[in-house]
Amino acid sequence: MLLRSAFVFSCDCPHSPEELEEVLASRKFSGIGQLDVDHLGWVNPRELENGPLVHAVNSIFLLALSKETKIVPASTVKKKLAAAEADATKREGRPPSRKERKALKEQVYESLLPGAPTRIKQTFGVLIPPKKQLLVLTTSAKCLEDFHGVFTDSFMKRGMRPSFRKLRTVQPPSLKMTEWLLNNECDGGFVLGEHCELTHEKSKVRYTALELDRPEIREHLLEGKVPVKLGLRHESTTSFIISCGSADEDLGFSKIHYGDNDGKTEGEGTADEVFDSDLVFSVTEFLGIANELFEAFGGIAPDVEVLASGEAFQ
């Protein structure tokens, strides 16, 4: 399994898979109920029936949060609601009030839940306890929110509260990204990629699959637009897009590609061995590069632990 996207957090958590297993068991996935809109819980990351909730490889713990959601089409609700309103009007001799219509809509929606189809989505996380780091492997703010909520609740059900903090850098990433785009040169072992997104208030400009040494990009920056996404390539040949919110929050990585090493596990082995080898390689490679990038942003803010140096995990 190769990491393709990640948000990075500081997280103090149990140092053994057995301890973590006990914590996650309090929110184990049990399937959605008839009247539930959705259901979230931990599952085996390798999709093994009755398998452990923690897949441990050396000091790397892989987790998987499963979310099952009922699909109730708005068109179906609208059709059923119209019929219910017609019946109410005929019965009462008048159209339902706004309050009555709202209650009818809720009744219609609830009546459709038991037979509604569902979809299941998984969000993976990687814990590295010795380094006190957590990677949430998604680009979705909603998936990140779900993972954080269930992860925290799992600990609280055991009478514990995990130290779970968003990573902050000393220098706002957008300032350094602006500098790099203006100078067409990056610090450290990085070079500009072929993707950037600039915003200012409601205005947004995106460049994809293009060289970023362009006069119009400089003009946008000088006019006050701020980079919120930037493609970078590391000297190791790994490339990625780094993103941050307009307030320099929720620093994330996406479209991670490991260059010459992507999908080329050395030697031969079973599917399980290849899975674990890819996981260890990509976590080690990613954290090493992420650490270099955060140093370029002035280092990690004092209240957050320093990232792993990128040494292989034992």
Side-chain angles (χ1 to χ4, degrees):
M1 177 181 179
L2 292 171
L3 275 66
R4 297 299 184 187
S5 59
F7 285 98
V8 187
F9 293 85
S10 170
C11 181
D12 196 359
C13 56
H15 281 242
S16 77
E18 293 79 16
E19 290 176 312
L20 185 58
E21 182 83 21
E22 290 184 10
V23 170
L24 301 186
S26 64
R27 286 295 304 269
K28 185 176 181 179
F29 186 82
S30 58
I32 195 166
Q34 280 200 329
L35 296 179
D36 291 335
V37 176
D38 56 35
H39 174 73
L40 295 97
W42 303 107
V43 297
N44 175 265
R46 299 299 312 277
E47 298 183 348
L48 300 176
E49 188 175 355
N50 299 320
L53 302 178
V54 181
H55 180 70
V57 187
N58 301 334
S59 57
I60 297 173
F61 300 165
L62 179 65
L63 321 176
L65 178 69
S66 187
K67 181 177 183 178
E68 186 173 10
T69 306
K70 292 281 181 69
I71 303 171
V72 181
S75 58
T76 303
V77 175
K78 184 178 180 180
K79 183 178 179 180
K80 293 283 188 180
L81 178 60
E85 288 179 344
D87 289 343
T89 300
K90 184 177 180 180
R91 184 174 58 254
E92 300 294 334
R94 59 172 177 80
S97 65
R98 179 179 297 182
K99 183 177 180 180
E100 290 170 337
R101 189 175 188 277
K102 182 179 179 181
L104 279 174
K105 187 175 182 179
E106 291 176 354
Q107 292 172 13
V108 167
Y109 185 82
E110 290 179 359
S111 71
L112 293 171
L113 284 175
T118 65
R119 64 167 174 261
I120 296 179
K121 181 180 180 62
Q122 290 187 350
T123 302
F124 292 93
V126 175
L127 273 166
I128 309 99
K131 307 300 181 182
K132 297 183 179 181
Q133 297 296 323
L134 170 64
L135 310 178
V136 183
L137 312 186
T138 184
T139 59
S140 165
K142 178 57 179 172
C143 290
L144 182 62
E145 179 185 345
D146 287 341
F147 192 100
H148 176 271
V150 178
F151 187 79
T152 301
D153 187 57
S154 299
F155 279 84
M156 295 188 71
K157 285 182 179 297
R158 300 281 298 177
M160 307 160 65
R161 187 174 183 85
S163 173
F164 188 94
R165 299 189 298 271
K166 290 181 179 179
L167 184 144
R168 296 283 185 273
T169 54
V170 173
Q171 184 175 7
S174 61
L175 292 181
K176 182 59 71 172
M177 290 193 286
T178 298
E179 177 188 317
W180 290 350
L181 286 168
L182 287 173
N183 297 334
N184 192 37
E185 185 178 7
C186 304
D187 298 342
F190 299 96
V191 295
L192 293 175
E194 299 180 337
H195 180 101
C196 78
E197 186 174 307
L198 314 174
T199 65
H200 177 65
E201 296 178 350
K202 296 184 179 180
S203 175
K204 179 184 295 186
V205 181
R206 181 184 294 117
Y207 294 87
T208 303
L210 293 170
E211 294 293 331
L212 300 182
D213 184 19
R214 310 175 70 84
E216 61 265 34
I217 291 180
R218 293 189 182 89
E219 291 175 8
H220 285 308
L221 293 170
L222 294 174
E223 289 171 357
K225 286 188 172 63
V226 176
V228 292
K229 291 185 179 180
L230 181 63
L232 295 172
R233 188 170 65 254
H234 187 255
E235 59 190 2
S236 68
T237 74
T238 293
S239 61
F240 56 92
I241 294 174
I242 187 169
S243 61
C244 62
S246 57
D248 286 302
E249 298 178 344
D250 294 337
L251 200 62
F253 296 77
S254 63
K255 297 187 177 180
I256 304 170
H257 189 276
Y258 300 94
D260 298 336
N261 297 313
D262 202 287
K264 294 183 179 180
T265 302
E266 293 185 6
E268 297 181 357
T270 65
D272 289 342
E273 290 170 340
V274 171
F275 181 96
D276 291 348
S277 178
D278 282 347
L279 179 63
V280 172
F281 160 73
S282 58
V283 170
T284 303
E285 174 76 1
F286 170 75
L287 285 181
I289 291 173
N291 185 64
E292 288 186 43
L293 186 64
F294 297 145
E295 286 301 316
F297 292 159
I300 298 172
D303 64 332
V304 180
E305 297 288 340
V306 176
L307 272 174
S309 64
E311 298 177 356
F313 296 102
Q314 303 298 324

